[in-house]
Amino acid sequence: RSGALAKPPGRALRKMAAAGSAVVASLALLFCLLARVRSARPQGCQVANLLAFAANVYFVQSVRRLDSKNYGQLPLNFLSPAPYAFAIWAVIYMSEAAFVCWQLFQRYPSAPRERLSLLSDCAPWWCAANACQVIWCLTFTPRFDSPGLLWISALALSGIALCLGQAHAVASAGTLDLQETFLLYVPISLHFGWTSAAALVNWNGYFARCGLGNGTKFNLLLLSLFLATVLGVVVSNRRKSGLYGITVAWALVAVGRNTWQDQRFAEAMGLGPAGALGSLEVALGALVVAVVAGTRLRK
């Protein structure tokens, strides 16, 4: 379909996760206010992290986007994932809600200075990624559904991945303890990996909206598959971040499954070529997993 990594089932999962995250974030804000009464005030970057995430959750829930439309009415996007893949949104949002709650209560001397410095270094990129998410929500809408405007949402989604990539680089640069691994590294790695693939999907959706022929869309698909595979392997190995590669592989395999299952692919390119393409996409996902299998989830 012509959009980000989303279909009606994925949108429902994301809204459920966002609703749960909103509750958790609200509780975090309440605890933050209570902490202020006790003269244990969070730093500005910690409050900014919470507010940026709250804005993200609000716009995800409140804006009517293109992924709420009947996807059969949109041009066929050759890079589309199977609906089951969107279950990852629940994990992403809930883990990020846990992150914003946890980081609010990190204060010296109960938290080491290195952790506070890590949070401070990640904060600008985290806030920027959430700002890009808000822009994507506002531009991935029927009002912008034209060749002249839809590129804006694709650019915004690319911005999410780039900003999370910088936060991920900061988090991956040092040695993390157990808390930092599960409450900082994991949510950022999952979201970074997923939006790396989602940005490619959004760009393919934009080019489909431009009315390109199947041959051109197929070439763009092959380029996107190459980029996703290279990103999954290179980033995982350079940063010793197997979780990133596994997340990209999750998206690649889901794209292959959808190519097998969606009848529109067989109609557009023939049953045999569609089956071969789906097998290639699944194989690339398996390749990423195999290459990063020796890479530990953290250094």
Side-chain angles (χ1 to χ4, degrees):
R1 49 169 302 173
S2 168
L5 276 168
K7 285 184 179 178
R11 177 175 170 81
L13 283 169
R14 183 152 58 176
K15 291 195 71 172
M16 290 173 60
S21 300
V23 173
V24 176
S26 298
L27 291 175
L29 182 59
L30 175 60
F31 289 140
C32 178
L33 294 174
L34 293 175
R36 289 195 63 179
V37 174
R38 299 174 59 185
S39 300
R41 298 181 180 181
Q43 298 298 312
C45 65
Q46 294 169 306
V47 175
N49 285 338
L50 172 62
L51 294 178
F53 181 68
N56 176 351
V57 171
Y58 171 77
F59 283 97
V60 164
Q61 292 186 90
S62 61
V63 176
R64 179 178 176 271
R65 304 189 306 271
L66 288 174
D67 51 7
S68 64
K69 293 176 63 177
N70 182 347
Y71 64 87
Q73 296 176 353
L74 297 173
L76 176 60
N77 182 351
F78 278 13
L79 191 68
S80 300
Y84 75 84
F86 305 109
I88 198 173
W89 274 121
V91 180
I92 289 173
Y93 270 101
M94 295 309 294
S95 63
E96 289 183 338
F99 160 66
V100 296
C101 292
W102 167 78
Q103 59 94 35
L104 276 175
F105 302 101
Q106 303 308 305
R107 303 179 187 86
Y108 185 79
S110 59
R113 293 187 185 276
E114 293 79 5
R115 181 182 297 169
L116 298 178
S117 177
L118 175 63
L119 290 172
S120 178
D121 291 342
C122 285
W125 299 112
W126 166 263
C127 293
N130 281 275
C132 287
Q133 178 78 35
V134 171
I135 295 172
W136 178 80
C137 287
L138 293 173
T139 56
F140 191 61
T141 59
R143 183 178 180 182
F144 285 78
D145 187 19
S146 68
L149 294 175
L150 195 58
W151 61 270
I152 299 174
S153 62
L155 187 64
L157 190 44
S158 301
I160 300 172
L162 289 172
C163 293
L164 288 173
Q166 292 301 311
H168 184 265
V170 173
S172 302
T175 301
L176 306 182
D177 62 23
L178 194 62
Q179 286 187 49
E180 294 158 355
T181 296
F182 283 99
L183 294 171
L184 171 65
Y185 164 78
V186 167
I188 289 178
S189 297
L190 287 172
H191 204 166
F192 174 36
W194 186 248
T195 52
S196 296
L200 294 172
V201 172
N202 226 160
W203 280 111
N204 277 263
Y206 164 69
F207 290 122
R209 173 53 74 201
C210 290
L212 300 180
N214 286 343
T216 303
K217 290 197 296 183
F218 182 76
N219 290 332
L220 291 170
L221 166 66
L222 293 180
L223 176 61
S224 300
L225 294 174
F226 172 77
L227 290 175
T229 303
V230 170
L231 281 173
V233 171
V234 173
V235 173
S236 295
N237 282 280
R238 286 189 176 179
R239 299 183 182 179
K240 303 298 181 185
S241 178
L243 184 58
Y244 173 83
I246 291 172
T247 307
V248 172
W250 170 268
L252 284 169
V253 172
V255 168
R257 291 287 301 275
N258 191 61
T259 303
W260 283 336
Q261 297 170 357
D262 194 330
Q263 184 62 31
R264 293 178 298 163
F265 286 94
E267 295 172 355
M269 61 184 67
L271 185 59
L277 176 60
S279 298
L280 172 64
E281 292 161 342
V282 171
L284 289 176
L287 174 64
V288 173
V289 173
V291 172
V292 304
T295 304
R296 291 173 290 175
L297 294 183
R298 281 293 303 129
K299 291 181 179 179

